Amino acid sequence: LDVCITKDYEMVVIHDITLDQTTDVSRVYPGRNNTYIVNGKETSGYFVIDFTLKELNELKLRQRVENRTRLYDGLLRIPTVDTLMELVVENGPGLYIELKKPSWHNQFLTSVQTTMEDMLLSKLKQFGYLEHVYTDTNQVLPIVIECFEEYSLQYLRNQTNIPLVQLIPSGKLEMSKVNLKHISSYADIIGPDKKNFDGRLSIAQQFVCNAHELGLKVHPYTFRAESEYVMQEFDGDFQMEQSYFIECLHVDGLFTE
C-alpha cells in the first residue's frame, strides 16, 4: 500500500504524491495543479496534499500503465488506510505499507504537531499491529513497512519491532558490506530496484550473498509481466525472470504487479 496524506490529514492509499497518472483529477478539478520542491526538484502536478478526503472521493481511478486493461477505469475510488486495514484485519492476508516521501509530507504536518510516521503508528496501534512481536522474518508476516528514506525507518525502528524495508532506487545501489551493515542496524529487509541488476546478474548474486551474511532479507522490485519491463537477460520471459530470482538468487520475496 502506497500511503499519502490529504489536505485534512487523512491517510490514503495511492501510488504517488500526485494524482495525474492514476485519476481523472484534471477533469474534475481543472486548474488545481500546483508546484512544489520535492526531493530538491521542482515538481508540478495535482498533489494529494492539496485535496481533502471529501474532494478525493469525487475522483475515479484509472490504469496508469500502457497496454493494460482499461476495464476498471472509472469504477474504483481512492481508499483510505483505515478502509484497507479493516479489510485485511478481518480477511487477511497482510499489509506491505510504503510511506511515500515522509520528509516532504512532514512539512505540511507541523501545524498539527505530528509526523507521517506517527500518524502511521497511530493507525497500527488502532488496528492492533503494535501488539504483536515480530521476531522471525522467515515466516509469513502480517505487516511490513517500507520506505526510501533512512531517517523515517530509523525513527520507526525506535518505536516498533515491525519488520522494516530499506528501498534502494535504480542507480543508488551500494554493494559494500559496510553500507549493508549500516542498513541492518535499523532495517530487516533491503528492497533494491531490479534495474540495478539489469545486464549485471553477477552483481545481483554478490549483493544477495552479502545481504544474507548480515542477516538482511532481500525483496527486489518491481516485476511486471510486460516484456519491456523484463531484464535483458531473460528475453522478455517474465516467468523465467521471477524463477531466476527466487530459485537461483534465493531472494526472500519480491514485488510484482
Side-chain angles (χ1 to χ4, degrees):
L1 308 182
D2 296 331
V3 176
C4 294
I5 307 292
T6 69
K7 186 176 183 179
D8 51 345
Y9 314 119
E10 296 288 343
M11 303 192 88
V12 294
V13 177
I14 191 163
H15 177 68
D16 201 0
I17 61 173
T18 56
L19 299 154
D20 306 53
Q21 289 188 321
T22 53
T23 74
D24 58 349
V25 64
S26 61
R27 180 187 64 82
V28 179
Y29 300 111
R32 290 279 298 274
N33 52 315
N34 209 337
T35 300
Y36 292 106
I37 302 298
V38 182
N39 293 346
K41 296 180 180 180
E42 191 174 272
T43 304
S44 298
Y46 290 82
F47 288 82
V48 176
I49 196 69
D50 289 331
F51 296 86
T52 65
L53 180 60
K54 183 178 179 180
E55 289 175 322
L56 292 180
N57 284 336
E58 298 300 316
L59 303 181
K60 295 179 180 179
L61 293 169
R62 67 185 184 197
Q63 175 60 253
R64 70 183 181 87
V65 179
E66 292 185 10
N67 302 320
R68 289 189 180 176
T69 181
R70 302 287 170 176
L71 287 175
Y72 300 98
D73 284 12
L75 299 180
L76 303 173
R77 300 182 188 272
I78 299 171
T80 63
V81 167
D82 289 66
T83 298
L84 292 183
M85 282 193 175
E86 288 173 2
L87 178 67
V88 170
V89 165
E90 293 179 5
N91 303 292
L95 293 171
Y96 211 124
I97 297 174
E98 179 183 351
L99 288 181
K100 304 292 285 191
K101 296 180 171 55
S103 62
W104 181 82
H105 274 106
N106 285 343
Q107 67 182 314
F108 301 97
L109 299 173
T110 55
S111 61
V112 289
Q113 299 181 322
T114 190
T115 64
M116 193 179 195
E117 295 89 350
D118 283 332
M119 289 177 68
L120 177 61
L121 288 167
S122 178
K123 297 291 184 189
L124 296 174
K125 182 177 181 180
Q126 177 185 342
F127 287 95
Y129 284 103
L130 297 186
E131 299 172 3
H132 294 272
V133 178
Y134 306 91
T135 57
D136 188 358
T137 54
N138 289 310
Q139 302 299 312
V140 175
L141 298 165
I143 186 168
V144 178
I145 302 171
E146 61 178 339
C147 190
F148 284 100
E149 297 184 21
E150 178 180 327
Y151 173 80
S152 182
L153 293 171
Q154 290 175 332
Y155 179 81
L156 289 170
R157 174 51 70 231
N158 290 327
Q159 307 298 320
T160 179
N161 67 347
I162 289 174
L164 303 177
V165 185
Q166 175 66 70
L167 294 171
I168 308 294
S170 177
K172 299 292 184 180
L173 189 70
E174 173 56 65
M175 287 286 294
S176 75
K177 288 188 177 182
V178 172
N179 182 64
L180 289 173
K181 186 174 182 179
H182 170 67
I183 292 173
S184 71
S185 69
Y186 61 86
D188 308 279
I189 303 164
I190 189 165
D193 187 337
K194 72 182 179 72
K195 293 176 185 175
N196 285 298
F197 308 125
D198 200 358
R200 306 190 302 165
L201 285 181
S202 61
I203 289 179
Q205 295 167 357
Q206 189 59 56
F207 178 82
V208 174
C209 287
N210 289 349
H212 283 168
E213 285 179 12
L214 292 166
L216 283 168
K217 305 298 182 184
V218 182
H219 292 186
Y221 71 93
T222 301
F223 292 79
R224 299 180 173 98
E226 293 86 356
S227 60
E228 61 264 34
Y229 298 116
V230 175
M231 291 167 59
Q232 58 183 284
E233 290 89 345
F234 304 102
D235 297 321
D237 191 325
F238 174 61
Q239 295 297 334
M240 183 187 298
E241 181 186 52
Q242 283 193 312
S243 295
Y244 182 84
F245 272 80
I246 295 169
E247 298 172 15
C248 299
L249 293 184
H250 304 294
V251 299
D252 307 281
L254 48 80
F255 299 86
T256 181
E257 295 180 355

